[in-house]
Amino acid sequence: METTAAEVVDVAAKKKDKKKRRWHNPFRLYIIDLYILKKFLGTFFLSTMLFLAVIAMFDITEKLDAFLTAPLSETIFDYFFSFIPYFANQLIPLFVFIAVIFFTSKMAANSEIIAILSSGISFSRLLRPYMIGAAIIAAMTFALSNYIIPPTNIKRIAYTNKYVKNKKVESNANVQLQVSPGVVAFIGRFEDRNKTGYRFSLDKFDGKELKSRTTAMTARYDTTRTYHWILMDYMTRDFDGMKETIKKGAKLDTIIPFEPRDFMISVNDQETLTTPQLTEYIEKQKMRGVANIKAFEIEKEKRIASTAAAFILTLIGMSLSSRKVKGGMGVNIGIGLGLSFSYILFSTVTSTFAISGLTTPFIAMEIPNLVYLAIGIYLYYRASKY
């Protein structure tokens, strides 16, 4: 039996169509993807603004005396311009969870989820626009927490120290740190108001052998130049075996590679550094033997962990609310609020593990992610089987 030209063309068209489907672009967004993505991000930003408005009102009530004392321009530009993005970033896991629970529960209640799955779309395919939305929020969280918010925190913290409650460390005693390999500095007492240290000494070692010691009655840090110290009533003793050389003077301008912020560590100082600055600071402090840098290490790991939280909580929220439940949307929202608050509380609790030395900061901040990822995977497979 001969094949007609029309049949040949039809076979060729089917082959071409099959090849086209084989090379289908997995990154293409369809109408259903854009529909879910629009609902996700719209609900997320709306819930964020509503919650921040409530939080701002409570904060105004709590700090009303300070706000009435401070100039209005400082309150708006120095405090609230930093406070709002700072708290938004802190509570992004909560906002993500609420957004996913709310709009997905509404879609399930309107039988939209059932209609989507009945059309042949798999549960895993339905998850794709949720993960795209989570990726957008995660990227925003990463940029905010690592680069954008820390510089603005400087003015916010300075504002609260000035008008609300001063948490800045004004003095420190018995400071000892390694300023460079083989060089150890000691300050009996340091006053931050005049950047002056008293009973200063600087020891230089070659292995375990002391090669030089410089002492001074006072050492003042010159803030106009990096690592510049002015020693008053100083004496330098150089050792060469049994031989000792002594040099004295009233004043000595010298470069010593450390500065007051290396040992004058106040509450929330870690929040003022971008992640590259934080990494550099941690490495430098470890080299110098400074002990109280756990808060800085925890802050760094928390910024990384919070980025992954968007994906994990989106997975849990979608798996929880994609099916109709008795009691309607309120049950899902209640469960969502409980889980999101427990995630934030769990992250706070595990940070104390690192402070007490039970775990490293990395493990402490990743424990909540691992626990909730396991919950999310379980809920996802359970939801996909319905």
Side-chain angles (χ1 to χ4, degrees):
M1 184 177 177
E2 295 184 1
T3 304
T4 64
E7 289 174 336
V8 171
V9 171
D10 185 54
V11 170
K14 286 181 179 179
K15 286 183 178 179
K16 185 177 180 182
D17 186 56
K18 187 176 180 181
K19 186 176 181 182
K20 216 171 165 187
R21 286 198 302 270
R22 188 187 307 153
W23 291 101
H24 166 71
N25 184 4
F27 299 103
R28 180 181 174 184
L29 293 179
Y30 293 89
I31 293 175
I32 187 63
D33 297 319
L34 296 174
Y35 176 73
I36 292 174
L37 196 56
K38 182 180 177 181
K39 280 184 171 291
F40 185 2
L41 296 179
T43 308
F44 169 76
F45 286 112
L46 179 62
S47 63
T48 300
M49 288 188 290
L50 291 175
F51 268 84
L52 287 178
V54 174
I55 291 170
M57 290 304 298
F58 276 107
D59 193 62
I60 290 171
T61 304
E62 182 184 356
K63 300 183 177 74
L64 186 59
D65 292 340
F67 294 151
L68 292 174
T69 303
L72 182 61
S73 60
E74 288 188 33
T75 301
I76 295 174
F77 296 106
D78 292 351
Y79 183 74
F80 276 107
F81 269 33
S82 172
F83 172 83
I84 291 173
Y86 171 77
F87 260 89
N89 193 59
Q90 295 290 314
L91 298 177
I92 275 179
L94 172 64
F95 301 145
V96 168
F97 216 0
I98 290 175
V100 173
I101 290 283
F102 183 81
F103 88 84
T104 308
S105 296
K106 194 172 180 180
M107 288 177 64
N110 295 335
S111 300
E112 292 179 73
I113 300 292
I114 294 174
I116 292 170
L117 296 175
S118 299
S119 68
I121 293 176
S122 66
F123 196 76
S124 60
R125 177 61 182 80
L126 179 63
L127 184 63
R128 194 174 87 171
Y130 284 87
M131 290 294 106
I132 293 173
I136 293 171
I137 294 171
M140 182 183 68
T141 303
F142 183 83
L144 284 171
S145 60
N146 289 275
Y147 299 100
I148 299 174
I149 292 178
T152 67
N153 281 338
I154 296 173
K155 289 186 176 181
R156 178 180 61 84
I157 292 172
Y159 179 95
T160 55
N161 286 339
K162 184 176 180 181
Y163 297 108
V164 183
K165 184 179 180 180
N166 189 8
K167 295 182 179 180
K168 185 179 179 181
V169 175
E170 301 290 350
S171 63
N172 203 347
N174 298 324
V175 176
Q176 183 171 337
L177 71 163
Q178 180 175 266
V179 299
S180 62
V183 181
V184 179
F186 174 82
I187 300 175
R189 182 173 180 81
F190 187 87
E191 297 290 343
D192 191 59
R193 58 184 176 81
N194 56 9
K195 305 296 181 186
T196 301
Y198 304 90
R199 292 184 291 115
F200 174 84
S201 69
L202 186 71
D203 296 335
K204 297 180 180 180
F205 293 87
D206 182 7
K208 295 183 179 181
E209 183 182 357
L210 180 64
K211 303 297 291 184
S212 173
R213 162 169 269 202
T214 299
T215 58
M217 291 295 292
T218 63
R220 182 171 61 83
Y221 184 70
D222 185 354
T223 56
T224 62
R225 289 180 284 180
T226 304
Y227 298 151
H228 187 254
W229 291 85
I230 300 172
L231 307 184
M232 305 298 292
D233 294 327
Y234 75 94
M235 179 176 66
T236 299
R237 301 165 63 193
D238 294 316
F239 304 99
D240 184 10
M242 299 298 293
K243 183 181 178 181
E244 179 181 355
T245 304
I246 298 177
K247 181 181 177 182
K248 296 182 180 181
K251 181 179 178 181
L252 176 65
D253 289 2
T254 184
I255 299 296
I256 308 174
F258 77 111
E259 55 189 330
R261 75 168 189 165
D262 292 334
F263 53 87
M264 299 292 289
I265 301 173
S266 301
V267 177
N268 300 327
D269 274 358
Q270 68 277 7
E271 295 176 354
T272 65
L273 302 175
T274 63
T275 298
Q277 292 172 337
L278 203 56
T279 302
E280 181 185 355
Y281 182 84
I282 290 170
E283 293 302 318
K284 187 169 64 174
Q285 296 299 78
K286 283 183 177 179
M287 183 273 293
R288 290 175 173 170
V290 177
N292 55 341
I293 59 169
K294 285 293 184 184
F296 293 84
E297 294 177 304
I298 291 170
E299 175 67 19
K300 179 185 175 182
E301 299 301 337
K302 183 171 73 173
R303 294 176 184 181
I304 298 171
S306 64
T307 304
F311 295 98
I312 296 169
L313 296 180
T314 296
L315 176 65
I316 295 175
M318 185 266 190
S319 303
L320 268 177
S321 55
S322 58
R323 305 292 180 180
K324 284 185 179 181
V325 294
K326 292 181 180 180
M329 191 187 303
V331 174
N332 285 335
I333 292 176
I335 295 172
L337 284 171
L339 282 172
S340 54
F341 276 118
S342 68
Y343 176 86
I344 296 171
L345 179 62
F346 195 20
S347 299
T348 304
V349 171
T350 55
S351 66
T352 62
F353 297 165
I355 295 173
S356 61
L358 292 176
T359 64
T360 64
F362 173 78
I363 294 175
M365 299 316 301
E366 291 299 335
I367 286 175
N369 281 347
L370 293 174
V371 170
Y372 280 77
L373 177 60
I375 294 173
I377 292 171
Y378 167 74
L379 292 174
Y380 170 78
Y381 278 109
R382 183 184 174 192
S384 65
K385 298 300 180 185
Y386 287 160

